[in-house]
Amino acid sequence: MILLVNIKEAVRSLLASKQRTLLALLGVIIGIGSVMAMLAIGETIKAESMRQYQAMGTDILTIRPEAQPRPGERWGAMAVITPEDMTRLARYSRSMRRYSLIAETSAALQAGRAKAENVSLNGVQAAFQPIKRLKLARGSFISPLDQGRYHIVLGSQVARDLDRAGAPRPLTELAIKGRIYKVIGVLAPADLGFDSDTVNRAAFTPVGMALRLDGQTGAGSAVVQVKPGTDHAKAGEELNRLMQGFTHGRVSLEVESPKQLLQQMAAQMRLLTLLLAAVGSISLVVGGVGIMNMMLVSVTERRREIGIRRAMGAQKGYITLQFLVESVILSGAGGVIGIAAGLGGAWLAADLQKWQFQAPLDAVGLCLGVALGVGLFFGYYPARKAAGMQIIDALKMD
């Protein structure tokens, strides 16, 4: 009952000085709003990044060879992975399910009068399609029977660019460095997260043709799909150990895993969220100081009211509670408005970026609790000052 009376009195007092109340609210609104927006945006970015990495495939390893010169030797040519290397790795590895070499280069594609410059041309093997989960808009993908043929599969964006440039319809062949390639398929737009453009804006040929085109003996990388339940770190160590054994320590493997990138990204996002929250907390402290300042002014202006209540028998605890309730209501209202503003700003930012908005519900409760805590902390001193006021001093005329 006493608490309800104090709440009504606090609301009446705050509404009596609307302008001052609004100014005191602004500090808390900005502080809580900025913290809430940062936490919500951080959660949204984390969820979107995880979706992108997961779309790349969490059972895939990318391996790249690194030359390991012996003591006293100078660095020589860049290391490559040969088809024979991958065959031996597949034979002896316990974790590998399937693989595909990737021989990357770039070339201009000529189809009639249409030309596409600097297209990423990747020599791959048949397993590249199931590993990357690629779908075809038409035709077929590279097969083992195509390895000695001038066949090519176009990414969706490359095919679209050639079509807009006036390529023949249907597009059945094109020229690369004077060689005529048969177009055997066109890929549907790929949704591979961060890897989407590397497929959509690329063309694919049999790895043997790509190596011959560039005069290379091996590829610069390979993708490996591991068996279900395989630990990525152990699989990477196994492949590296086998490769070093095959080459007598001359070549090692750099292993990259989307799963490891996910873990690193999650750790970085936690640090970033803490940093953003710390920056927003500075505004919250400023808002708390504003509340304290307003409450001290309120105590001074209501000195006679306090004196009369004390003279009529009001206990110090009652006076303390009254001003604390007023401070908590002020900061709580600012917290609610700030949370709404922060979530609204984060939603707008996510909508502009075409991301799926993630509302951190635990952060909502945390921000509201912090707002109420700010009201208690910064309202305690003014409340104690009001309760400790001597009756004779409170009733003294100015």
Side-chain angles (χ1 to χ4, degrees):
M1 184 65 181
I2 293 177
L3 182 60
L4 183 60
V5 172
N6 280 326
I7 292 174
K8 291 180 179 178
E9 179 64 24
V11 173
R12 183 193 63 78
S13 176
L14 292 172
L15 292 177
S17 52
K18 295 183 179 66
Q19 187 175 14
R20 191 167 62 197
T21 299
L22 179 60
L23 291 174
L25 276 174
L26 280 177
V28 179
I29 292 173
I30 293 172
I32 291 293
S34 59
V35 172
M36 189 70 252
M38 290 173 183
L39 291 175
I41 290 173
E43 190 70 22
T44 299
I45 292 175
K46 183 171 73 174
E48 180 65 19
S49 298
M50 286 188 173
R51 188 194 71 78
Q52 297 268 10
Y53 278 124
Q54 287 170 346
M56 291 169 62
T58 55
D59 60 346
I60 297 174
L61 303 178
T62 301
I63 58 176
R64 295 181 177 88
E66 292 183 330
Q68 300 294 323
R70 292 174 179 174
E73 289 184 344
R74 300 179 63 183
W75 286 91
M78 184 182 297
V80 294
I81 308 178
T82 66
E84 293 74 19
D85 291 332
M86 292 306 301
T87 300
R88 285 186 291 181
L89 284 175
R91 181 183 303 164
Y92 293 104
S93 172
R94 296 181 178 179
S95 56
M96 185 187 298
R97 182 180 178 187
R98 54 168 71 102
Y99 68 88
S100 171
L101 287 166
I102 304 177
E104 301 179 53
T105 186
S106 62
L109 310 186
Q110 184 81 44
R113 293 177 299 173
K115 191 172 185 179
E117 299 282 357
N118 296 320
V119 174
S120 176
L121 187 62
N122 297 331
V124 297
Q125 295 170 289
F128 187 82
Q129 183 189 9
I131 290 175
K132 291 290 189 177
R133 304 184 303 280
L134 302 179
K135 296 180 180 179
L136 288 153
R138 65 178 177 86
S140 60
F141 196 72
I142 304 297
S143 75
L145 299 177
D146 296 317
Q147 286 306 314
R149 301 175 180 177
Y150 289 99
H151 287 178
I152 191 168
V153 176
L154 302 179
S156 60
Q157 188 61 48
V158 174
R160 191 178 298 117
D161 291 344
L162 286 172
D163 185 63
R164 289 174 179 172
R169 296 183 182 178
L171 182 58
T172 58
E173 62 181 25
L174 48 79
I176 303 175
K177 295 184 178 180
R179 296 279 187 178
I180 302 300
Y181 283 72
K182 181 181 179 182
V183 179
I184 62 171
V186 175
L187 293 173
D191 182 15
L192 300 177
F194 297 119
D195 267 355
S196 296
D197 274 355
T198 62
V199 171
N200 295 332
R201 299 182 180 276
F204 302 90
T205 65
V207 68
M209 291 294 100
L211 294 177
R212 187 182 304 173
L213 189 68
D214 249 14
Q216 298 292 324
T217 58
S221 64
V223 286
V224 174
Q225 185 176 38
V226 296
K227 296 175 181 177
T230 301
D231 182 88
H232 286 199
K234 292 181 179 178
E237 291 173 1
E238 178 199 46
L239 293 174
N240 186 40
R241 185 176 64 253
L242 288 172
M243 188 67 174
Q244 288 186 336
F246 299 150
T247 61
H248 305 289
R250 306 283 292 187
V251 178
S252 64
L253 294 178
E254 177 190 353
V255 183
E256 182 182 281
S257 163
K259 191 173 184 179
Q260 293 171 345
L261 293 176
L262 268 174
Q263 294 170 348
Q264 294 171 4
M265 185 274 301
Q268 292 173 352
M269 286 304 304
R270 283 194 294 269
L271 291 175
L272 180 60
T273 301
L274 288 175
L275 178 62
L276 295 177
V279 173
S281 298
I282 297 174
S283 300
L284 195 56
V285 171
V286 174
V289 172
I291 289 177
M292 179 184 286
N293 182 59
M294 176 185 170
M295 295 305 299
L296 288 172
V297 172
S298 180
V299 169
T300 302
E301 291 181 346
R302 295 159 63 186
R303 187 182 64 186
R304 289 183 61 79
E305 175 191 333
I306 295 169
I308 292 172
R309 292 192 176 189
R310 292 282 286 116
M312 294 178 65
Q315 301 295 319
K316 289 184 178 181
Y318 179 84
I319 301 297
T320 301
L321 181 62
Q322 177 188 343
F323 280 91
L324 274 179
V325 167
E326 188 172 325
S327 174
V328 169
I329 288 177
L330 182 63
S331 62
V336 171
I337 298 173
I339 289 171
L343 288 175
W347 175 84
L348 181 61
D351 186 63
L352 291 174
Q353 294 295 328
K354 308 300 181 185
W355 294 338
Q356 185 176 355
F357 175 65
Q358 297 288 326
L361 299 180
D362 52 344
V364 172
L366 176 63
C367 286
L368 184 58
V370 168
L372 297 177
V374 166
L376 282 172
F377 182 80
F378 287 96
Y380 181 75
Y381 174 70
R384 290 297 298 171
K385 184 176 180 181
M389 193 177 294
Q390 297 297 323
I391 296 177
I392 188 68
D393 294 330
L395 295 175
K396 188 185 298 183
M397 297 295 291
D398 292 330

